[in-house]
Amino acid sequence: MTAEPGRRPTAHETGPSRPGGRPERVGKGEALADWFDGRVGLFKMGKAQLRKVFPDHWSYLIGEIALYTFLIIILTGVYLTFFFTPSMNEVVYHGSYRPLNGIRMSEAYQSALNISFDVRGGLLMRQIHHWAAILFVASMLVHMMRTFFNGVFRKPRELNWLSGAGLLILGMFDGFLGYSLPDDLLSGTGMRFMEGAILSVPLVGTYLSFFVFGGEFPGQIIIPRLFTVHVLLIPGIMLGLLAVHMILLVYHKHTHNIGPGRRDMNIVGPPLWPIYVAKSGGFFFLVFGVTAVMSAIASVNPVWLYGPYRPDQVSTDAQPDWYMGFSEGLIRLMPGWEIHLWGHTLVLGVFIPLLVFPMVLLAIWLYPFIEAWVTGDRREHHLNERPRNAPTRTAFGAAWIGLYIVLLAEGGNDLVATHFDVSLNAVTWAARIAFFVVPTVVFIVTKRWCIGLQRRDRQKVLHGRETGIIKRLSHGEYVEIHEPLTQAERYTLVAHDQMVPIEPPAEVDKAGIPRKVTRREKLRARLSRSYFGARGQMPKPTVEEYREHHHEEHEEPERTH
């Protein structure tokens, strides 16, 4: 049998033949694979993807933890939906947890109790679901900061950065909605917090609150609405963003660390099949196992201890999950300012934190585009940049983390005050001062630290590694013996860009005609000097400096003998 021109012969046409010229029969699985290959190019596409190379470094596992915990959330969430009742209809509880017998509660809270005490494996599934959500947001945040400090967000990966940041923000909000579903006293306090933030919006706050809660707080439809958004809307968007993130990752390939043989046009590491698949598969089960062990021995969100939600009550030590703690800190940080105009009250103590809340997230989310504008760098980058070689960026990221920690600590100011036996007002005022002081101090210290590390790298390239061995020369001078670096080590220390600050346009053009330099151009030049000027980076050693220094070293022994 001869294949038609322009089409690859199939297994039936090229396989071994039986006596008499008839093709040998193949298995059903092979026939099905051959059918797909003839229509979508399965073999060729699979072979190319299975040989894709992935860099082998432990920091890349952080992103895998985020992916695997997301899968765990989906799996356990599907199981929990079989038993959870998203309804606010009131019932009287008669179940296994006797302290709440005879108490009126919503069907949502009753079903949460039933899952915890009456459904086989229900409590473990609830714990795994909640712990996986906490680990998911934590790993995404660490992965995002690793990406930030290594400069992975630079061209052509801006869309990947945006999709990853979107996953982080959506994960935070979906987590908030998730622990609000049981309708216990703690989650109800969080919903009251959200209602207060909505009501603080000028002019339309009341209308927004009535729209969200279907009437006066708490209403009867908020739990069904939260359930739909939590299990359908936000996860659907997240799956779409995750698909975009992974497709772009495959298309652009991983970045890899600076080193000998590593360039923008290649990837150094093991192939996907079989090495990376074996490692990744084993790591998934390791993440799942660690999450299950944590869930089995460490209780999280014990809703039966809080009781059902009542608007006239509030639980003690009410704290959100850690990733939403900075929003709580913003509220507790802000003074209770109010403005009364024309019979209306503008609650600045809540409205201003509501405005600052997205700004904290957008500051780190939009930074890559600000850096691209300041530097004017339009090149493609496929190598990770060492954080010390980008002092301003590293200092900005460290300052952001410092601000986040301050707000997180202030979100639990009552616990800080009681555990350390200090005044609550003193904790609040300390946090208010730290809100402005800590990011500034962290920025300055981190930038100086990075420049100091650059200076040390420069000295290591020129002088070598300190050995701690002191030698006395013939004329009485004491010197320390330095061990020269290998060529690979020197390459790693100097293989980074040495950017030049952007100068503002001349005030007079080539024809001698004065032109006005805009404030935007002056600002860009000033920021560029702060990035790459004398105070922004340490110049790396040149070839001439290296040769001159080593020429002097070779002449020194002759002079001392």
Side-chain angles (χ1 to χ4, degrees):
M1 182 180 295
T2 305
E4 291 83 356
R7 185 171 68 84
R8 187 177 66 84
T10 64
H12 295 289
E13 299 162 344
T14 60
S17 301
R18 291 181 177 180
R22 291 181 300 169
E24 185 178 357
R25 298 178 64 88
V26 296
K28 294 182 179 180
E30 185 179 351
L32 180 62
D34 185 73
W35 187 89
F36 273 104
D37 182 51
R39 287 150 182 82
V40 298
L42 184 65
F43 294 159
K44 183 178 179 180
M45 179 176 63
K47 182 178 180 181
Q49 295 303 319
L50 290 177
R51 299 305 299 172
K52 187 173 290 294
V53 174
F54 287 84
D56 193 9
H57 192 267
W58 66 266
S59 61
Y60 297 99
L61 298 179
I62 302 172
E64 293 189 26
I65 294 175
L67 175 62
Y68 297 153
T69 49
F70 183 68
L71 295 177
I72 295 171
I73 292 171
I74 297 296
L75 294 174
T76 55
V78 170
Y79 180 85
L80 294 175
T81 55
F82 294 149
F83 307 99
F84 183 73
T85 305
S87 172
M88 297 191 71
N89 295 330
E90 285 195 347
V91 295
V92 177
Y93 179 71
H94 297 287
S96 301
Y97 189 65
R98 292 188 177 182
L100 291 179
N101 272 336
I103 303 296
R104 297 185 66 85
M105 60 185 63
S106 65
E107 287 188 293
Y109 186 61
Q110 182 191 43
S111 63
L113 294 177
N114 291 337
I115 292 173
S116 302
F117 297 105
D118 297 318
V119 175
R120 186 179 297 275
L123 180 58
L124 180 60
M125 285 295 177
R126 275 195 63 243
Q127 297 281 282
I128 293 177
H129 188 74
H130 203 124
W131 271 116
I134 294 174
L135 295 175
F136 173 60
V137 179
S139 57
M140 279 200 300
L141 181 61
V142 176
H143 177 62
M144 181 178 177
M145 296 314 298
R146 196 279 303 178
T147 301
F148 179 86
F149 287 124
N150 286 140
V152 182
F153 54 74
R154 295 173 294 175
K155 183 182 178 181
R157 293 176 176 82
E158 297 93 338
L159 292 179
N160 233 14
W161 169 265
L162 291 178
S163 62
L167 283 168
L168 173 61
I169 295 173
L170 287 175
M172 294 169 60
F173 279 100
D174 205 33
F176 170 75
L177 300 180
Y179 66 68
S180 299
L181 285 177
D183 196 33
D184 59 292
L185 189 56
L186 179 61
S187 66
T189 303
M191 294 304 298
R192 174 68 83 180
F193 177 91
M194 185 178 75
E195 186 227 7
I198 295 174
L199 287 174
S200 69
V201 179
L203 301 179
V204 297
T206 304
Y207 301 98
L208 289 176
S209 178
F210 268 64
F211 172 76
V212 172
F213 293 97
E216 292 187 3
F217 180 85
Q220 291 293 320
I221 64 173
I222 185 62
I223 294 299
R225 284 183 175 180
L226 292 184
F227 182 77
T228 302
V229 175
H230 175 70
V231 305
L232 183 62
L233 181 59
I234 293 183
I237 299 175
M238 292 180 69
L239 284 173
L241 286 176
L242 180 61
V244 171
H245 195 78
M246 299 305 295
I247 290 172
L248 290 175
L249 178 64
V250 172
Y251 177 73
H252 294 305
K253 300 181 177 60
H254 275 289
T255 59
H256 52 165
N257 296 325
I258 294 176
R262 301 179 181 184
R263 304 182 301 276
D264 278 332
M265 304 307 296
N266 72 343
I267 297 291
V268 178
L272 176 63
W273 180 267
I275 300 175
Y276 198 80
V277 169
K279 289 184 176 180
S280 186
F283 191 58
F284 168 74
F285 290 106
L286 179 62
V287 172
F288 206 143
V290 170
T291 307
V293 171
M294 292 172 58
S295 305
I297 64 176
S299 177
V300 62
N301 196 25
V303 295
W304 55 89
L305 297 180
Y306 307 129
Y309 177 66
R310 287 184 52 181
D312 60 336
Q313 296 181 356
V314 62
S315 61
T316 58
D317 295 343
Q319 307 289 330
D321 278 343
W322 70 270
Y323 47 85
M324 294 299 290
F326 80 100
S327 60
E328 180 88 11
L330 283 170
I331 291 290
R332 301 188 183 192
L333 194 73
M334 184 68 191
W337 294 345
E338 294 182 353
I339 296 178
H340 303 278
L341 292 174
W342 303 298
H344 298 277
T345 301
L346 180 60
V347 186
L348 296 179
V350 180
F351 182 60
I352 291 179
L354 183 64
L355 295 179
V356 177
F357 172 78
M359 293 173 60
V360 173
L361 300 176
L362 290 176
I364 198 73
W365 194 4
L366 300 180
Y367 174 85
F369 302 96
I370 299 174
E371 181 179 293
W373 174 71
V374 171
T375 61
D377 188 2
R378 298 293 184 268
R379 300 167 301 163
E380 288 194 4
H381 297 275
H382 301 282
L383 288 172
N384 292 331
E385 191 170 21
R386 300 174 77 200
R388 67 184 63 182
N389 293 329
T392 303
R393 179 204 304 150
T394 304
F396 182 88
W400 186 86
I401 294 175
L403 176 63
Y404 193 96
I405 293 175
V406 168
L407 295 177
L408 185 62
E410 176 61 12
N413 60 355
D414 52 341
L415 298 180
V416 174
T418 55
H419 281 68
F420 292 94
D421 195 21
V422 294
S423 169
L424 180 64
N425 291 331
V427 175
T428 301
W429 272 104
R432 288 172 180 172
I433 298 173
F435 180 84
F436 299 99
V437 173
V438 167
T440 305
V441 172
V442 170
F443 181 89
I444 295 173
V445 171
T446 303
K447 190 171 182 179
R448 297 283 298 176
W449 193 356
C450 290
I451 294 176
L453 291 174
Q454 285 185 348
R455 184 181 292 108
R456 190 189 71 171
D457 289 345
R458 175 184 172 86
Q459 295 297 324
K460 286 177 67 174
V461 171
L462 294 177
H463 299 278
R465 186 183 296 106
E466 296 178 355
T467 61
I469 301 175
I470 306 300
K471 181 179 180 181
R472 183 180 180 182
L473 302 181
S474 58
H475 59 282
E477 180 184 1
Y478 288 91
V479 296
E480 182 181 10
I481 298 177
H482 288 72
E483 179 184 354
L485 302 180
T486 64
Q487 187 175 359
E489 292 172 333
R490 289 197 301 269
Y491 177 84
T492 302
L493 295 180
V494 300
H496 62 273
D497 297 327
Q498 194 79 51
M499 303 290 289
V500 179
I502 297 175
E503 296 297 332
E507 297 183 358
V508 180
D509 61 13
K510 295 181 179 179
I513 301 175
R515 63 178 302 274
K516 182 179 180 181
V517 181
T518 63
R519 292 182 179 180
R520 184 173 181 271
E521 292 172 331
K522 293 180 179 179
L523 175 63
R524 183 185 182 190
R526 192 178 301 113
L527 291 175
S528 181
R529 283 195 299 271
S530 69
Y531 268 72
F532 309 118
R535 297 184 177 182
Q537 63 179 352
M538 177 65 59
K540 63 182 181 181
T542 62
V543 177
E544 292 75 14
E545 289 177 327
Y546 179 80
R547 290 175 177 173
E548 179 182 358
H549 177 77
H550 280 266
H551 179 69
E552 293 177 354
E553 281 188 346
H554 288 303
E555 289 183 348
E556 180 68 23
E558 298 177 1
R559 186 181 67 83
T560 56
H561 280 299

